[in-house]
Amino acid sequence: MDFKQLKALVTVAEVGSVTRAAELLHLVQPAVTRQIRTLEQELGVPLFERTRHGMRPTEAGATLVDRARRALTELDRARAELAPRPGVVTGIVTVGLLESAAERLAAPLTTEVLREHPGIELRLLTAYSGHLQRWIDDGDVDLSLLYNLTSTPSLYVRPLVRERLWAVAPPSAGLDPAQPVPFADVAAHPLVMPSKGHALRTLIDGAAREAGADAEVTVQTNAMTLQKRLVLAGHGWTILPGIGIATDVSDGVLSAAPVCEPEIWRTVVLGTPRTGRVTPAVDAVAQALVRQIHRTVREGEWPSARLWEDRTGEE
């Protein structure tokens, strides 16, 4: 098993075609086929099955692809970190961003990192907190924003921001950001909700119990963008973090207001693995991310948010 075989394996899995993989790898098709077959013979299991939609990894193949992708990423990181120019921070850094915060943070973070450290290759992934935490534990992400999480044996957590959740409705509802909406009033409307098991849904369900409200859930989804689209389509109201709807509200696309009675708060944290060496590149990106979050909150671009260091018992 060598680097070329693993590269061929991952490429075929990603594009679903030996022919296309050969083009991307600048090889002839038989060479790619031979590399895959050599792996299968060495491991004693089939790694792909041919379907009408192309080459699809078998269960064993998917497992090997996952491991191979991580191994190739680590090799890329090592190449980027070895023999750097004096005084220049280099390396590959994979950052996890909460879907709700990505729109506000991704562009300025990228701008700062590429300006201050052009030797860093930045990779941004967005997802919900549970997925991001799993990616950190699996070694696929170097650092990530998470929420409502404390430090674990495998993860160091730095609290950054406390923020309220907002009721979100079509513009015709006329919600006023300066006038919080009681949860019972929100629950009087059909609700578009995050899927069961999602951490945001857990917070909302807890508020419903505290308010003694019996909410009618019309649809559940695991995507914030879909929640907003379904609200605009007239399928109900929803509840989201303020940073996820700040632009929509300022543009008049949606109306929104903080939820009260009870207020719903979440804590956004920066998670990093406890194991392994923190490279200068990862540390530089972490510092840049913290600076961007502080700027976003202090310039009023993160609605109903308080920096952790400035919190004053808002609960």
Side-chain angles (χ1 to χ4, degrees):
M1 189 179 301
D2 59 29
F3 173 82
K4 291 181 180 179
Q5 292 170 341
L6 296 180
K7 188 69 175 177
L9 172 80
V10 171
T11 305
V12 171
E14 289 177 345
V15 301
S17 163
V18 172
T19 301
R20 178 60 179 151
E23 293 173 357
L24 293 173
L25 295 170
H26 305 291
L27 297 171
V28 294
Q29 181 177 333
V32 176
T33 300
R34 184 167 55 253
Q35 288 167 343
I36 298 299
R37 286 179 178 170
T38 300
L39 275 175
E40 291 178 327
Q41 291 170 358
E42 178 180 346
L43 296 170
V45 293
L47 299 175
F48 289 95
E49 58 181 354
R50 291 186 178 274
T51 72
R52 59 183 178 179
H53 301 296
M55 298 283 283
R56 185 174 66 185
T58 61
E59 184 176 347
T63 299
L64 184 59
V65 167
D66 183 52
R67 301 290 185 180
R69 186 180 287 114
R70 294 177 191 170
L72 294 172
T73 298
E74 289 302 314
L75 287 172
D76 287 342
R77 287 174 176 167
R79 288 194 184 93
E81 293 169 14
L82 291 176
R85 289 172 291 168
V88 177
V89 178
T90 62
I92 298 170
V93 181
T94 303
V95 181
L97 295 176
L98 294 165
E99 185 186 15
S100 56
E103 182 177 336
R104 286 278 173 174
L105 298 176
L109 173 65
T110 301
T111 298
E112 178 178 345
V113 171
L114 296 186
R115 181 185 66 242
E116 301 297 328
H117 304 287
I120 291 178
E121 180 182 327
L122 193 61
R123 300 178 180 179
L124 303 179
L125 302 178
T126 64
Y128 284 131
S129 185
H131 293 121
L132 293 171
Q133 183 182 352
R134 184 166 62 250
W135 292 345
I136 292 182
D137 289 339
D138 289 344
D140 296 326
V141 169
D142 296 303
L143 66 153
S144 180
L145 294 182
L146 306 164
Y147 66 83
N148 286 9
L149 187 70
T150 57
S151 294
T152 70
S154 64
L155 196 65
Y156 172 74
V157 165
R158 175 183 174 182
L160 297 176
V161 174
R162 292 275 289 161
E163 68 166 332
R164 287 175 71 176
L165 300 189
W166 287 45
V168 183
S172 58
L175 296 182
D176 184 347
Q179 297 181 1
V181 182
F183 189 94
D185 291 352
V186 178
H189 300 268
L191 293 181
V192 177
M193 294 280 272
S195 302
K196 281 281 191 182
H198 185 281
L200 204 63
R201 177 65 179 272
T202 302
L203 289 175
I204 297 169
D205 287 346
R209 288 191 297 271
E210 185 175 342
D214 186 15
E216 176 193 353
V217 179
T218 57
V219 63
Q220 302 179 51
T221 175
N222 65 348
M224 185 185 71
T225 53
L226 283 179
Q227 283 179 256
K228 294 193 288 187
R229 288 177 185 173
L230 290 168
V231 168
L232 284 173
H235 294 292
W237 291 19
T238 192
I239 297 175
L240 288 169
I243 193 172
I245 44 89
T247 300
D248 302 289
V249 172
S250 63
D251 291 345
V253 176
L254 294 166
S255 67
V259 176
C260 65
E261 300 178 22
E263 296 178 354
I264 312 175
W265 290 84
R266 74 170 183 173
T267 303
V268 177
V269 304
L270 178 63
T272 52
R274 288 187 182 275
T275 58
R277 181 176 67 93
V278 177
T279 67
V282 170
D283 184 57
V285 173
Q287 292 183 40
L289 180 56
V290 171
R291 282 193 296 271
Q292 288 301 327
I293 288 174
H294 280 220
R295 181 197 63 78
T296 301
V297 173
R298 286 179 171 152
E299 293 183 4
E301 298 176 5
W302 195 321
S304 296
R306 303 285 185 275
L307 291 174
W308 184 260
E309 60 198 41
D310 297 338
R311 67 195 188 284
T312 54
E314 65 271 18
E315 291 182 286

